[in-house]
Amino acid sequence: MALFSKKCVPYWSRLFLWLVAYSLILVGSVVIFQYHREKQFKAEELNARLQQINSEILDDIDAGIPVEQSCSNHSVGGLRVSVINSAGRVIYDNSLDSLPSVNHQNREEIARAIAVGSGYSVRRLSQSTGSSYFYSARRGKDGIVVRTAIPYSVSLSSLLKADYGFLWVIGGITLIMCVLGYIATRKIGHHISRLREFAANAERGEPVYDARPFSHDELGDISAHIVRLYASLQQAIAERDREHQATLREQEDKVRLKKQLTNNINHELKTPVASIRVCLETLMTYPNLEESKRQDFMKRCLANCDRLSNLLNDVSTITRIDEGSQTIERRPVDLAKIIATVVDDMTPLAQNKGVTIANNTHGAMPLNGNASLLESVFVNLINNALSYSGGNRIEIVGGTDSDGMIRLSFSDNGCGVDPTHLPHLFERFYRIDKGRSRAAGGTGLGLSIVKNSIQVHQGEIHISNQPSGGLRFDILLPSLQ
């Protein structure tokens, strides 16, 4: 057995043996198919001749000619003619002295003639004569069936046999194919041996001195594939280096963003802290200050404390998203209920500013998310519209589409913003009017929190000016449906 192992038998020899086996299977299949096809063709040709006689006898019967006379008129030497009525009884048979009483409706050729009009049986033993026949039957009017039969003799058997001449042709072609296959596989084996040696040397990093070109065929493609493997390896190394550099840049960007955030926070903290310090120093310096002025300074201190609290809360949210977006707890929630709760909570504040909030969402909007982050999205959007839009109506529209996506639009009918500011509105601490933003108590982080919270939920948000005025935020989130 070891002599025939893959290591001992050359590849070209195994390939040649597979080719021979394939050729033999192909030839065998063609021979079997052709034999049955030709035999069936000859049987159908003989049946067509007998069917012609059957049709002529049926025409004579329809014309009123007696069955015996019609059968004698169309009789051929050795031809057996039978007539069967609709009940399956033989009413005439030119080869029998006495008619059989057996019902013939279950005979193969007669049953098929009754069913589809005609039928034949290649070789069947007659129970009446004890001989084998080739039967051909045709149904006429009133269910009468005329059946002709030829004895299945040596001559008929030879007639129905397939012509084996084509086998010699196929055999010769197969032999030529094997010879050509032997030559081709031997040549392939030589090239494969060279290619294997080349690949082994290249794998070990050894210099390749065999510079003879390979053939321009599939083997050449194999050689090109090896070259592509080297190129892929080099590309993979280069990609690894690029990813490493990208990771380093990402880390540097994170460090830069942290420094920028720290600097911005430091800058944002200075103003309220300085204001609180001035108010407290004034109160301490002038203990007998008028009550109305004391109350004014204390209100300023409280307002700046609120601003500091909002800033710290927003910074905490941003830091939470940046540092732990993958660890933020998510669970199935209904965004429609979250929006309804936020709208209910913010409605009194909006009414005090003369703004109407219209919640026109429809149906449930289930998704896998964090309720507090999703709530912060719409709280910040509403606060932003109340503080800066200058409009009197906020509208939230949307629901879950048939494609399993939640689509929402948040819009106001205010003044909008200059198009040059639109690309920067989601940046941290970006303000269009810094003085007005600080006066309104904004931290400059609200819209950044909105965008980051949407991205944490694998969603998208886009901002645009409406033709009729005001800002429009389009939100797309994946649904659980």
Side-chain angles (χ1 to χ4, degrees):
M1 294 298 292
L3 294 176
F4 297 96
S5 64
K6 291 184 178 181
K7 292 183 178 180
C8 295
V9 180
Y11 176 80
W12 71 268
S13 299
R14 287 184 276 124
L15 184 61
F16 174 71
L17 292 176
W18 276 108
L19 179 61
V20 171
Y22 171 80
S23 301
L24 293 177
I25 293 174
L26 179 62
V27 169
S29 301
V30 171
V31 168
I32 294 172
F33 173 79
Q34 181 66 19
Y35 173 81
H36 288 286
R37 186 171 180 270
E38 189 171 354
K39 185 174 182 180
Q40 182 182 6
F41 172 78
K42 291 185 175 181
E44 290 179 352
E45 185 179 17
L46 178 59
N47 175 60
R49 297 177 185 175
L50 296 178
Q51 289 292 346
Q52 180 65 31
I53 298 175
N54 294 340
S55 297
E56 294 174 355
I57 294 175
L58 284 172
D59 291 340
D60 289 346
I61 293 175
D62 293 339
I65 300 174
V67 176
E68 295 82 1
Q69 182 181 349
S70 176
C71 291
S72 63
N73 292 339
H74 300 285
S75 177
V76 181
L79 183 67
R80 178 183 176 186
V81 181
S82 304
V83 180
I84 298 94
N85 62 15
S86 59
R89 301 294 179 181
V90 179
I91 60 176
Y92 174 80
D93 193 307
N94 64 352
S95 64
L96 299 177
D97 295 332
S98 59
L99 299 177
S101 59
V102 179
N103 191 303
H104 280 55
Q105 287 184 337
N106 61 345
R107 300 293 195 269
E108 179 183 352
E109 68 282 354
I110 295 176
R112 186 161 182 81
I114 293 173
V116 298
S118 65
Y120 70 89
S121 176
V122 176
R123 184 175 184 180
R124 183 171 59 76
L125 180 67
S126 172
Q127 297 179 1
S128 302
T129 64
S131 301
S132 296
Y133 291 88
F134 180 97
Y135 291 98
S136 177
R138 176 172 289 276
R139 187 191 70 225
K141 295 180 180 180
D142 301 327
I144 294 177
V145 177
V146 173
R147 182 184 67 181
T148 52
I150 297 178
Y152 202 93
S153 58
V154 175
S155 60
L156 180 59
S157 176
S158 300
L159 175 65
L160 295 180
K161 281 186 177 180
D163 183 12
Y164 293 104
F166 77 98
L167 293 179
W168 293 103
V169 177
I170 294 180
I173 293 175
T174 303
L175 180 60
I176 295 174
M177 289 174 57
C178 290
V179 173
L180 295 177
Y182 176 83
I183 297 173
T185 52
R186 188 174 179 84
K187 182 178 179 181
I188 290 173
H190 174 68
H191 286 301
I192 289 178
S193 298
R194 284 186 55 209
L195 184 60
R196 181 177 60 183
E197 182 180 356
F198 171 83
N201 292 336
E203 183 180 9
R204 292 192 297 266
E206 299 177 0
V208 179
Y209 299 106
D210 188 359
R212 290 174 296 168
F214 288 93
S215 57
H216 298 287
D217 50 20
E218 286 78 3
L219 290 177
D221 293 339
I222 295 176
S223 301
H225 182 64
I226 293 177
V227 174
R228 288 195 295 271
L229 286 177
Y230 275 106
S232 299
L233 179 60
Q234 293 175 350
Q235 184 178 1
I237 294 174
E239 184 67 24
R240 182 197 62 187
D241 293 339
R242 282 195 297 270
E243 290 181 357
H244 180 66
Q245 293 296 328
T247 302
L248 291 177
R249 285 195 299 270
E250 184 179 355
Q251 294 296 331
E252 292 174 356
D253 289 342
K254 286 185 177 181
V255 173
R256 180 179 56 80
L257 287 175
K258 287 181 179 179
K259 289 182 178 179
Q260 182 181 0
L261 180 62
T262 302
N263 293 334
N264 288 333
I265 292 173
N266 182 51
H267 178 73
E268 292 295 325
L269 288 174
K270 285 182 179 179
T271 301
V273 169
S275 179
I276 293 172
R277 181 182 182 87
V278 169
C279 291
L280 291 177
E281 287 179 348
T282 301
L283 291 173
M284 293 179 65
T285 304
Y286 303 100
N288 298 322
L289 199 64
E290 295 180 5
E291 185 62 27
S292 59
K293 291 185 178 181
R294 290 177 60 86
Q295 291 295 326
D296 181 57
F297 282 121
M298 293 178 66
K299 287 179 181 180
R300 290 183 186 181
C301 289
L302 182 59
N304 281 286
C305 286
D306 291 339
R307 182 179 171 189
L308 286 174
S309 178
N310 293 334
L311 177 62
L312 293 175
N313 289 334
D314 287 349
V315 169
S316 175
T317 302
I318 286 289
T319 304
R320 178 186 175 198
I321 294 173
D322 286 345
E323 299 295 336
S325 59
Q326 301 300 323
T327 60
I328 292 176
E329 182 182 2
R330 295 176 179 83
R331 63 180 62 183
V333 296
D334 186 357
L335 185 58
K337 293 182 178 179
I338 292 175
I339 294 174
T341 301
V342 172
V343 170
D344 290 342
D345 292 343
M346 300 293 289
T347 295
L349 177 61
Q351 290 176 346
N352 290 337
K353 296 187 177 184
V355 178
T356 301
I357 303 177
N359 181 12
N360 294 325
T361 57
H362 54 85
M365 290 181 280
L367 78 160
N368 191 38
N370 184 277
S372 63
L373 284 182
L374 292 171
E375 182 179 339
S376 70
V377 169
F378 294 94
V379 169
N380 280 291
L381 287 176
I382 293 175
N383 276 328
N384 185 76
L386 293 177
S387 300
Y388 310 118
S389 71
N392 59 9
R393 179 177 174 82
I394 297 172
E395 184 175 17
I396 307 173
V397 180
T400 303
D401 286 352
S402 58
D403 59 356
M405 298 299 292
I406 297 174
R407 301 179 188 274
L408 294 168
S409 68
F410 181 97
S411 60
D412 61 70
N413 63 346
C415 58
V417 299
D418 190 288
T420 58
H421 295 292
L422 289 178
H424 307 286
L425 289 182
F426 290 119
E427 295 178 4
R428 298 175 184 180
F429 297 106
Y430 184 83
R431 292 185 175 92
I432 298 174
D433 184 346
K434 297 183 178 181
R436 182 185 175 193
S437 297
R438 289 193 176 94
T443 63
L445 294 173
L447 293 183
S448 179
I449 291 174
V450 169
K451 182 176 182 179
N452 282 274
S453 298
I454 293 296
Q455 290 178 340
V456 164
H457 291 85
Q458 289 77 49
E460 299 176 5
I461 182 169
H462 302 281
I463 187 171
S464 61
N465 279 314
Q466 297 191 102
S468 58
L471 281 179
R472 175 188 174 99
F473 295 86
D474 291 299
I475 300 172
L476 181 68
L477 290 166
S479 173
L480 278 178
Q481 294 182 349

